Amino acid sequence: GAGVSQSPSNKVTEKGKDVELRCDPISGHTALYWYRQSLGQGLEFLIYFQGNSAPDKSGLPSDRFSAERTGGSVSTLTIQRTQQEDSAVYLCASSSGAPSGSFGPGTRLTVL
Amino acid sequence: AQSVSQHNHHVILSEAASLELGCNYSYGGTVNLFWYVQYPGQHLQLLLKYFSGDPLVKGIKGFEAEFIKSKFSFNLRKPSVQWSDTAEYFCAVRMDYGQNFVFGPGTRLSVLP
């Protein structure tokens, strides 16, 4: 079946611009996670959605970052006024009731 | 804050050597444990997972991991590595059901042909 998909696969933007990254989770998965992987770094948790509960935003690095999940399905991660340190691969994962995650291919963001 | 540590940043082995990658976490409660693998140019894939029961878990591609609760460890093992096992390996812990995954920093494995 279809896995987690993310778009765009690559995004190059100029410092100060806003970007939106999209995640389409596996159909029926109630949980959705955003992580980022910077060059040479591990995976950094950003935000977690579970069903209709309030999202866990504890990993968002600044108020320039926000995410929403519409209708319990598609999620959009928005980064406002991008900075060079935002350059990373942004990964989305989704899971069903069982606690394991299927990851998407990621969006590589480059801020010039 | 809960954390996950992986003992080695980069491991270099020859083909047929045995592999053990360490993973420790800091949390005294119930955990779900995972190992993910990221092959070069590919996205993260689940290698194996532990929820409950037998602490020795078998995964794909000949990998296994052992949960030792008293040591807060979940080490990954493979008796004989192949060149195709070259990848980055991430240990992840889910502290309570419904919470997010906490990932270790990853261990890069290079297998020399």
Side-chain angles (χ1 to χ4, degrees), chain B residues 2 7 96:
Chain B
Q2 284 74 31
H7 304 169
D96 291 288

Side-chain angles (χ1 to χ4, degrees), chain A:
Chain A
V4 178
S5 61
Q6 293 185 245
S7 59
S9 56
N10 277 286
K11 176 71 177 179
V12 180
T13 190
E14 294 178 347
K15 179 181 171 181
K17 296 285 178 82
D18 298 351
V19 294
E20 284 190 352
L21 312 180
R22 177 186 168 108
C23 171
D24 283 87
I26 292 173
S27 178
H29 278 191
T30 56
L32 187 147
Y33 312 79
W34 282 98
Y35 294 85
R36 71 176 175 183
Q37 187 175 22
S38 303
L39 188 64
Q41 304 294 316
L43 282 159
E44 177 187 4
F45 166 73
L46 297 177
I47 189 169
Y48 162 61
F49 296 89
Q50 174 61 59
N52 295 322
S53 303
D56 176 356
K57 303 180 181 180
S58 60
L60 294 178
S62 77
D63 59 7
R64 297 186 294 105
F65 287 73
S66 62
E68 61 179 24
R69 189 178 184 193
T70 53
S73 181
V74 172
S75 178
T76 302
L77 177 69
T78 302
I79 309 174
Q80 296 178 308
R81 306 181 301 282
T82 52
Q83 304 293 314
Q84 288 182 328
E85 62 263 27
D86 299 335
S87 295
V89 175
Y90 288 81
L91 292 163
C92 175
S94 71
S95 70
S96 62
S100 62
S102 297
F103 280 84
T107 294
R108 182 175 298 277
L109 175 65
T110 303
V111 182
L112 303 177

Side-chain angles (χ1 to χ4, degrees), chain A residues 33 35 37 48 97 99 101 104, chain B residues 32 34 36 38 43 94 97-98 101:
Chain A
Y33 312 79
Y35 294 85
Q37 187 175 22
Y48 162 61
Chain B
N32 302 127
F34 309 84
Y36 284 86
Q38 187 171 26
H43 55 90
R94 194 168 182 172
Y97 184 83
F101 296 88

